[in-house]
Amino acid sequence: MIRFMRPRTVKQRFRLWIALAILMLGLSINIALYILYQQETQAEALRNLSDNLSLQTLFIDRWVQERTLDMRLLTEEDAVRTLNKPLMEEIFRDFTVLQKDFSSLSYVNADGVTEVDTYSATGLQVNERDSYWAAKQGKSSMSDVIIRQASGETVIIFSTPTYDKEGQWSGLLLGSVKLETIQRVVGSLKSGETGDFYLLDWVGVPMTKPRFIDDVRQNPRPISTDITRRAAVQSVSKEAYANYNGDIVFGSYQWIAGHRWLLIGEVSKKELNANLYGLMLVFIAITLVTLMLSFSGIVILTRRIERPLEFLLQGTRIIKEGQYGYHIDPAVFKDAPAELQELCDNYNLMSRKLKTTVKLLEESAMIDPLTELYNRRYMMQNGNHRLLLALEAGYPCSLLLIDIDYFKQVNDSHGHLVGDRVLRHVAGVLQRQTGGDELAARYGGEEFMVLALRLGAVQARALAETICRAVAAEPYEEDGVCIALTVSIGGAACTGLVEGAVARPLLEHMIEEGDKALYRAKQFGRNRVEWETGPREDG
């Protein structure tokens, strides 16, 4: 051994120093790759957690906004404004059947006593609750998480003030909203074998089931870990910490619902390092083999590792810039280790899922869920832009505002569920009568809009007459119910851009003109078409 370490000949010394140089180079490469890959793995895990949290935050915030809007819409019902309690109870029960997230609704009078309640007996005093005083000041509110003793059901209470026909405060509506939707979405998130996503309220009590807690209802105690303490002071750190189960994890968080709920995502450090350790064993074995090879062989082998990592890193940067759905060519990983090939496949799979999810979110923001037509938001954001493009190209354009005649009587006589089906029925007629450059949308309530991008006043009025006849010819028929329908239509046309016009969206001006014509159509007997400026031949 001593003789080996002290070679006497140049040949022996050269072999020894080449062997030591390759060994040291191999060790250096392995150490450097270990550090870089460990850092990148941890950073990638945190990025994935952050991306998932951002996506779910968007969903939960939207969910809260929709439930608040549901409550406000209920306060606009005539039964609520006139305090028709039997009808109010019927509406409440129908609403809880239709809107599965609500478990119960109740009406509280101005004295703080429940008079209508779909869950329990009436006569309960609630005038000491914060929601009562907030409603008395004209404010909507949302409670902390409540676990009902009888059913063990986890709910939150939304409250909204109510007003009578004269606009005087008459009490408030309380809506018990189940957290099953949020629990299902948060529970469906996955990040590796140990990835964990859970939701806490502002004091740290679990709202959804963490991975290692069997039953939230049996463990209502607050969770206090490094991540909750960081969240309390808005601190950001990439350091690992011990979670509620004592495991060392990396985590990320986001406050949502007006800083009242805390969404946390965690992944085990042990899991992140598991693939790293296996990969390092491969590197060490390659290093030992290369003791018999040249230095160039070492460079080639390391390059085969570095190149796939560069593509993965490039792909994450592209997705970070918003190009969801970016695809890495698997041919790049053809000669890479199996772990990196699997990583490439998983990356492409997650990229496709992310693109699909973002697309669904974008579509849900622009499509009316009841009629599957464009909604008002889409028309106001994109309709004016498309209108200007058509006018700049020299095409005349027209707008039709369509109102279902006596629709309130349909709701009053047959109920809101039938009313919704009537809206879908009329929307179907519009879809069949329009297409191409004619955009049909639900403008609000029982009112629809058609934006014809290449039709002048004469052609658009003909289309309006056709729609009138089609609706009248196709009454709503289902389950033995037959409802004759008619519509009133107001139209307005525009044949070109006016220089020096007021800096207001042109579509808004056309809507205003069409609304005037619609008013005349209703005033002159309904089931007719009126035009604001009178159709004339377009040049």
Side-chain angles (χ1 to χ4, degrees):
M1 181 67 181
I2 296 177
R3 191 176 174 186
F4 174 76
M5 295 300 298
R6 294 181 180 179
R8 298 178 60 182
T9 66
V10 173
K11 180 179 179 180
Q12 290 174 339
R13 292 183 180 183
F14 181 80
R15 289 179 177 178
L16 175 61
W17 286 110
I18 289 295
L20 289 176
I22 294 176
L23 180 61
M24 292 303 297
L25 180 62
L27 289 175
S28 298
I29 292 174
N30 277 274
I31 292 173
L33 285 173
Y34 177 86
I35 295 172
L36 292 174
Y37 195 79
Q38 183 183 52
Q39 293 176 346
E40 183 58 27
T41 300
Q42 295 173 4
E44 180 65 19
L46 289 173
R47 284 194 294 270
N48 288 337
L49 289 176
S50 179
D51 290 343
N52 277 322
L53 290 177
S54 296
L55 194 60
Q56 296 310 312
T57 295
L58 178 64
F59 174 86
I60 294 174
D61 280 338
R62 183 178 179 84
W63 181 86
V64 171
Q65 293 171 6
E66 290 175 348
R67 301 295 79 76
T68 302
L69 180 59
D70 288 340
M71 294 291 292
R72 289 177 180 171
L73 291 176
L74 281 174
T75 64
E76 298 297 325
E77 293 285 346
D78 285 341
V80 177
R81 286 187 172 271
T82 59
L83 297 183
N84 185 338
K85 298 170 188 175
L87 182 56
M88 197 186 305
E89 183 173 4
E90 180 181 347
I91 291 173
F92 287 0
R93 292 192 183 280
D94 289 343
F95 182 81
T96 55
V97 171
L98 182 64
Q99 177 50 265
K100 300 297 185 182
D101 282 345
F102 282 84
S103 60
S104 67
L105 288 166
S106 58
Y107 164 71
V108 180
N109 65 22
D111 295 326
V113 179
T114 58
E115 293 190 355
V116 177
D117 197 319
T118 63
Y119 180 77
S120 60
T122 58
L124 178 66
Q125 287 279 354
V126 297
N127 55 8
E128 295 183 357
R129 296 184 184 179
D130 292 340
S131 58
Y132 172 82
W133 293 105
K136 198 167 185 179
Q137 298 173 10
K139 299 177 181 179
S140 299
S141 63
M142 181 178 69
S143 73
D144 293 328
V145 178
I146 298 172
I147 300 178
R148 287 179 166 170
Q149 297 297 326
S151 63
E153 186 178 60
T154 304
V155 299
I156 55 178
I157 308 298
F158 286 79
S159 66
T160 304
T162 62
Y163 299 92
D164 59 21
K165 288 287 187 178
E166 288 71 36
Q168 299 296 318
W169 181 67
S170 61
L172 65 150
L173 293 186
L174 298 177
S176 299
V177 179
K178 298 179 286 186
L179 297 179
E180 292 177 355
T181 300
I182 293 179
Q183 291 170 343
R184 184 170 61 253
V185 172
V186 174
S188 67
L189 293 176
K190 300 295 181 182
S191 182
E193 296 294 325
T194 61
D196 195 8
F197 293 84
Y198 54 95
L199 191 65
L200 309 178
D201 66 15
W202 66 278
V203 296
V205 175
M207 296 174 60
T208 62
K209 180 181 176 299
R211 192 167 191 148
F212 299 105
I213 294 182
D214 294 331
D215 193 340
V216 174
R217 291 172 292 182
Q218 298 176 3
N219 296 270
R221 295 170 296 179
I223 290 177
S224 178
T225 60
D226 281 357
I227 193 72
T228 60
R229 288 187 285 272
R230 293 176 194 172
V233 296
Q234 298 289 314
S235 173
V236 178
S237 174
K238 297 181 180 179
E239 298 296 325
Y241 60 93
N243 68 359
Y244 54 82
N245 199 45
D247 297 326
I248 304 302
V249 296
F250 292 96
S252 183
Y253 70 87
Q254 281 200 20
W255 285 103
I256 55 178
H259 212 76
R260 300 187 63 173
W261 298 345
L262 180 64
L263 183 60
I264 294 176
E266 295 174 336
V267 63
S268 169
K269 181 179 180 181
K270 183 178 179 180
E271 179 186 352
L272 294 181
N273 289 338
N275 289 336
L276 179 61
Y277 294 150
L279 189 60
M280 292 311 301
L281 289 176
V282 175
F283 292 159
I284 292 173
I286 292 174
T287 302
L288 294 177
V289 171
T290 55
L291 287 171
M292 299 177 293
L293 303 175
S294 65
F295 181 77
S296 60
I298 294 292
V299 174
I300 295 173
L301 290 173
T302 54
R303 183 57 182 169
R304 291 171 62 183
I305 300 299
E306 294 170 350
R307 188 164 180 262
L309 290 178
E310 290 173 358
F311 276 91
L312 282 171
L313 185 58
Q314 179 186 5
T316 59
R317 287 171 177 165
I318 291 174
I319 285 184
K320 183 180 179 181
E321 293 172 356
Q323 299 183 33
Y324 308 114
Y326 177 76
H327 180 78
I328 296 178
D329 186 359
V332 176
F333 290 74
K334 178 182 178 181
D335 298 323
E339 292 89 342
L340 290 179
Q341 293 179 7
E342 183 179 354
L343 188 59
C344 173
D345 295 337
N346 291 339
Y347 172 91
N348 288 332
L349 177 62
M350 289 187 295
S351 176
R352 288 194 297 271
K353 288 183 176 180
L354 180 60
K355 181 179 180 181
T356 301
T357 303
V358 171
K359 183 179 179 181
L360 288 174
L361 289 173
E362 290 175 345
E363 289 178 352
S364 66
M366 296 299 178
I367 299 298
D368 176 55
L370 177 63
T371 62
E372 296 183 356
L373 297 177
Y374 290 122
N375 60 18
R376 180 172 182 168
R377 178 180 179 183
Y378 174 86
M379 295 299 286
M380 302 310 293
Q381 287 185 356
N382 301 313
N384 192 69
H385 176 68
R386 296 185 63 174
L387 175 64
L388 292 176
L389 290 178
L391 291 173
E392 289 174 354
Y395 296 108
C397 297
S398 300
L399 179 133
L400 305 179
L401 284 181
I402 304 165
D403 189 85
I404 303 176
D405 295 330
Y406 305 109
F407 181 74
K408 185 177 182 300
Q409 295 180 7
V410 175
N411 281 334
D412 293 342
S413 302
H414 302 281
H416 287 80
L417 290 178
V418 173
D420 288 344
R421 294 175 191 142
V422 168
L423 288 174
R424 285 196 292 267
H425 172 77
V426 174
V429 175
L430 285 179
Q431 285 178 323
R432 290 192 293 274
Q433 299 299 326
T434 60
D437 293 315
E438 297 150 8
L439 306 180
R442 184 184 179 190
Y443 190 63
E446 69 271 22
E447 199 166 311
F448 298 86
M449 174 196 296
V450 173
L451 179 60
L453 297 176
R454 297 194 181 190
L455 296 184
V458 173
Q459 296 91 336
R461 179 154 192 165
L463 174 62
E465 297 286 357
T466 300
I467 292 173
C468 264
R469 290 192 297 271
V471 173
E474 299 182 37
Y476 169 79
E477 295 180 330
E478 187 174 342
D479 298 332
V481 176
C482 181
I483 303 174
L485 299 170
T486 61
V487 293
S488 299
I489 301 178
C494 182
T495 58
L497 298 174
V498 179
E499 294 187 5
V502 179
R504 183 178 65 167
L506 182 57
L507 182 60
E508 288 186 13
H509 175 73
M510 294 181 70
I511 291 173
E512 184 177 305
E513 296 296 308
D515 199 45
K516 294 176 184 177
L518 177 60
Y519 177 78
R520 289 201 305 275
K522 294 180 180 179
Q523 192 177 35
F524 293 159
R526 305 177 190 263
N527 190 22
R528 60 186 293 122
V529 176
E530 288 293 330
W531 210 263
E532 177 58 15
T533 56
R536 56 184 178 80
E537 291 297 333
D538 300 306

